[in-house]
Amino acid sequence: MSCSWQSWPEPVVPVQSLAQSGIRSIPERYVKPPTDRPLTKNVDHDEAAEAAQLKIPVIDFQHVFSEDQALREETLGRINSACREWGFFQLVNHGVSHELMKNAREVWREFFYQPLELKKEYANTPTTYEGYGSRLGVEKGAILDWSDYFFLHFLPVPLRDQRKWPATPANCRELISKYSEELVKLGGRLMKAFSVNLGLDEEHLTKAFGGDEDNLDVCMRVNYYPKCPQPDLTLGLSPHSDPGGLTILLPDEDVAGLQVRKEDNWITIQPYPNAFIINIGDQIKVLSNGIYQSVEHRVIVNSGKDRVSLAFFYNPKSDLPIGPSQELITEEHPALFPTMSFNEYRKKIRTQGLYNKKK
Ligand code: OGA
Ligand code: NI
């Protein structure tokens, strides 16, 4: 490692301030090479047209707890197929209050709508990334994404530092806590469903993650994608898979942006009302020995509307070794991944750059 992890290599420009300055063309720093731009496909190609019709499954989580065994099994089966084939699904009737979801999203929108001077008090550094930021990675001269974000830790408790969370809007901290508590519970229920679906003991993944809530590593990245005068030239977030366990994403209500890779195509997810978008991260892919996919995704932007999303990362205790589960290693299906802790994995990714990661 040659460069310092303490500070950014060049001044950080919030994308929101660029967007608000009224520019008609975006600075070169945000222009992606032609092959990485949103519309690189030949759209009259049959395959692309067909792919555009594809949708990730929408699953009713309530059915997993139904008295009706057939319904329960069918729903678990749908979750299982989604994890294998897409690594992504939308979840409804997930038990989290719709009002709480809306309040959490809107309080963050208000946070980003505050004056820049105020937000800059939370400016982050590449040491922990906690706080308000506009870039990932410290490579000088890198092409940047069209987004700002706020990153914070919720678990383990010693990493939770509420003083680093926004003090305004006034109810922001309280909402973050309430929302995160609910999502930790939802994450636990999903882990059980995934364990059963993999043919493992119901508690298997929970144990592999550290055994109980106090041991988890849970953090949240709130993304803000300002309007963009040239959305065809850039991306809100470059292609990546999520390095952790699983992600519970609360998208904006009526503006799409998240795209999921399906073979050579990018499928735009149309957010279903009051749904969360769930996706498998690299650690569950490893624990499942590749049965579940941690799929690449990216975000496109648009000129008409800004977009807010809350990405909640449910990750294993950071120093536990994570490798393919013994039960899922056979002669025909040997261990596909090395064993390492989430910390080691994260360090490896941060060093080589999130976006250079091989699938
Ligand atoms: C992320 C992410 C998607 C979105 O933060 O890792 O993939 O729609 N976000 O903002
Ligand atoms: Ni992601």
Side-chain angles (χ1 to χ4, degrees):
M1 251 183 289
S2 57
C3 53
S4 149
W5 293 97
Q6 303 310 308
S7 60
W8 302 110
E10 50 217 346
V12 174
V13 182
V15 177
Q16 191 176 10
S17 64
L18 282 176
Q20 285 170 349
S21 69
I23 48 168
R24 307 288 287 275
S25 59
I26 63 175
E28 223 169 298
R29 293 294 302 277
Y30 298 90
V31 176
K32 305 290 179 189
T35 50
D36 296 349
R37 292 178 195 167
L39 302 164
T40 49
K41 271 272 170 190
N42 183 355
V43 279
D44 54 29
H45 196 276
D46 281 355
E47 187 205 346
E50 226 169 82
Q53 308 295 318
L54 290 175
K55 290 189 174 67
I56 65 166
V58 177
I59 295 171
D60 188 333
F61 204 37
Q62 195 171 252
H63 292 162
V64 166
F65 309 97
S66 165
E67 301 277 287
D68 179 341
Q69 192 187 343
L71 185 59
R72 207 166 58 225
E73 281 172 6
E74 189 214 307
T75 309
L76 281 169
R78 293 190 63 218
I79 294 176
N80 200 23
S81 310
C83 295
R84 286 168 180 258
E85 290 159 27
W86 286 94
F88 265 87
F89 55 95
Q90 299 202 58
L91 195 67
V92 296
N93 289 328
H94 37 60
V96 179
S97 142
H98 296 171
E99 198 190 332
L100 178 59
M101 294 164 77
K102 194 177 165 99
N103 291 345
R105 188 178 54 225
E106 297 313 316
V107 84
W108 277 108
R109 198 188 310 277
E110 282 173 39
F111 169 78
F112 284 102
Y113 285 175
Q114 296 178 117
L116 192 61
E117 287 316 308
L118 189 149
K119 287 175 295 201
K120 276 192 167 164
E121 288 180 23
Y122 304 93
N124 71 355
T125 71
T127 314
T128 65
Y129 283 94
E130 280 173 287
Y132 179 61
S134 296
R135 64 181 290 163
L136 286 172
V138 289
E139 187 199 337
K140 205 167 176 199
I143 297 183
L144 303 176
D145 289 342
W146 193 263
S147 55
D148 301 323
Y149 64 86
F150 197 103
F151 181 70
L152 61 89
H153 286 291
F154 187 69
L155 290 175
V157 171
L159 282 189
R160 184 190 306 171
D161 185 352
Q162 302 215 13
R163 288 166 309 180
K164 294 183 184 167
W165 301 1
T168 57
N171 54 347
C172 193
R173 289 178 179 165
E174 191 192 329
L175 277 169
I176 295 168
S177 295
K178 268 195 193 155
Y179 181 78
S180 301
E181 269 168 35
E182 288 302 307
L183 265 64
V184 167
K185 288 186 214 157
L186 174 59
R189 295 197 289 273
L190 284 163
M191 296 272 283
K192 285 191 178 158
F194 295 164
S195 300
V196 170
N197 276 341
L198 286 165
L200 303 166
D201 178 75
E202 186 176 88
E203 294 300 324
H204 185 99
L205 288 175
T206 301
K207 282 188 189 146
F209 271 43
D212 56 50
E213 286 183 7
D214 295 339
N215 281 323
L216 293 171
D217 183 300
V218 169
C219 48
M220 182 158 73
R221 194 181 130 99
V222 182
N223 300 291
Y224 180 69
Y225 304 97
K227 287 187 229 178
C228 179
Q230 292 181 297
D232 296 348
L233 299 184
T234 192
L235 290 169
L237 200 54
S238 292
H240 65 281
S241 63
D242 292 344
L246 66 95
T247 305
I248 305 176
L249 184 92
L250 176 60
D252 211 331
E253 209 162 21
D254 44 26
V255 46
L258 177 58
Q259 295 188 318
V260 179
R261 188 196 273 287
K262 188 78 178 152
E263 279 101 41
D264 284 337
N265 298 291
W266 290 102
I267 312 296
T268 304
I269 299 182
Q270 299 301 335
Y272 195 91
N274 299 312
F276 285 113
I277 299 172
I278 311 292
N279 68 286
I280 301 287
D282 296 343
Q283 305 306 309
I284 291 189
K285 173 187 76 175
V286 168
L287 283 161
S288 79
N289 199 20
I291 295 174
Y292 286 174
Q293 297 193 51
S294 165
V295 170
E296 253 192 318
H297 49 285
R298 69 178 191 183
V299 175
I300 56 171
V301 288
N302 71 86
S303 59
K305 263 193 172 165
D306 59 2
R307 178 172 179 268
V308 174
S309 71
L310 278 57
F312 188 85
F313 301 113
Y314 187 100
N315 301 330
K317 182 174 187 313
S318 59
D319 57 1
L320 281 181
I322 303 273
S325 303
Q326 284 307 323
E327 294 85 342
L328 302 176
I329 301 173
T330 60
E331 222 162 282
E332 308 87 74
H333 197 71
L336 291 177
F337 311 101
T339 296
M340 66 178 90
S341 70
F342 180 45
N343 255 345
E344 291 167 322
Y345 186 83
R346 212 162 16 183
K347 206 181 277 172
K348 194 176 127 210
I349 287 180
R350 284 191 182 163
T351 315
Q352 71 188 30
L354 186 59
Y355 306 137
N356 299 327
K357 190 169 43 157
K358 289 279 160 281
K359 269 171 283 158

